[in-house]
Amino acid sequence: MDCDCGHAAEYVGLRTKTVLTVVGEAELQRPYYLCPHCHEGQFPVDAELAVEDTAYSPGVRRMLGVVGADAPFTHGREQMKALAGLEVTTKAVERTSEAIGADIAQPEQQEIQRAMQLDLLNRFRSCSYRWTQPECRW
């Protein structure tokens, strides 16, 4: 397995991770790799299953985003228990909802930035030969 540092990471063994899924907790046995050069560890299966740096499956994260979108986060936690039988913290609802919101907002912000740059470029082009006109003196 290749490491980001350019060296080869070596298989160390299986490691266990508990993940909350839409049907309850699941124990994952996944291979762990360690780079002897930079000492960075990797769990490639975590990336494939979209559970890197989280204990929640993609399905549970979507549910947390939905219940946290329109009501107080405490209410979202209660909904997760009542509707799916899943125990989560209020903080998990808050963090996941906010992360999903940030992911949604990022492309919108990029589009706004592109539009602003295009507007500035168009202004510059229309004024480049008319510096004496008041609308061209920013």
Side-chain angles (χ1 to χ4, degrees):
M1 159 122 326
D2 292 332
C3 181
D4 289 340
C5 74
H7 293 82
E10 299 173 356
Y11 175 77
V12 176
L14 293 175
R15 296 292 199 289
T16 302
K17 179 176 186 170
T18 302
V19 176
L20 186 62
T21 73
V22 295
V23 294
E25 286 189 346
E27 291 245 333
L28 302 177
Q29 291 284 328
R30 69 251 207 269
Y32 176 67
Y33 295 85
L34 182 66
C35 177
H37 182 263
C38 71
H39 306 288
E40 285 292 317
Q42 301 180 50
F43 292 98
V45 171
D46 286 9
E48 291 175 30
L49 298 176
V51 293
E52 279 183 308
D53 304 320
T54 183
Y56 302 109
S57 72
V60 169
R61 291 196 307 271
R62 283 190 298 275
M63 292 168 66
L64 290 169
V66 169
V67 300
D70 295 324
F73 300 127
T74 300
H75 183 67
R77 178 187 57 78
E78 293 165 354
Q79 284 182 312
M80 291 291 288
K81 177 65 176 165
L83 299 173
L86 301 176
E87 292 280 349
V88 296
T89 64
T90 301
K91 201 58 151 172
V93 175
E94 177 183 357
R95 287 182 179 149
T96 304
S97 297
E98 289 176 351
I100 290 170
D103 287 346
I104 291 169
Q106 183 180 10
E108 292 174 359
Q109 288 299 319
Q110 290 172 342
E111 189 63 32
I112 290 168
Q113 288 297 322
R114 279 194 293 271
M116 290 172 58
Q117 290 171 353
L118 182 59
D119 181 54
L120 185 60
L121 180 61
N122 287 335
R123 283 189 199 188
F124 177 75
R125 285 180 180 159
S126 68
C127 292
S128 62
Y129 298 107
R130 301 177 293 153
W131 286 107
T132 58
Q133 296 178 2
E135 68 271 10
C136 294
R137 293 186 216 142
W138 316 318

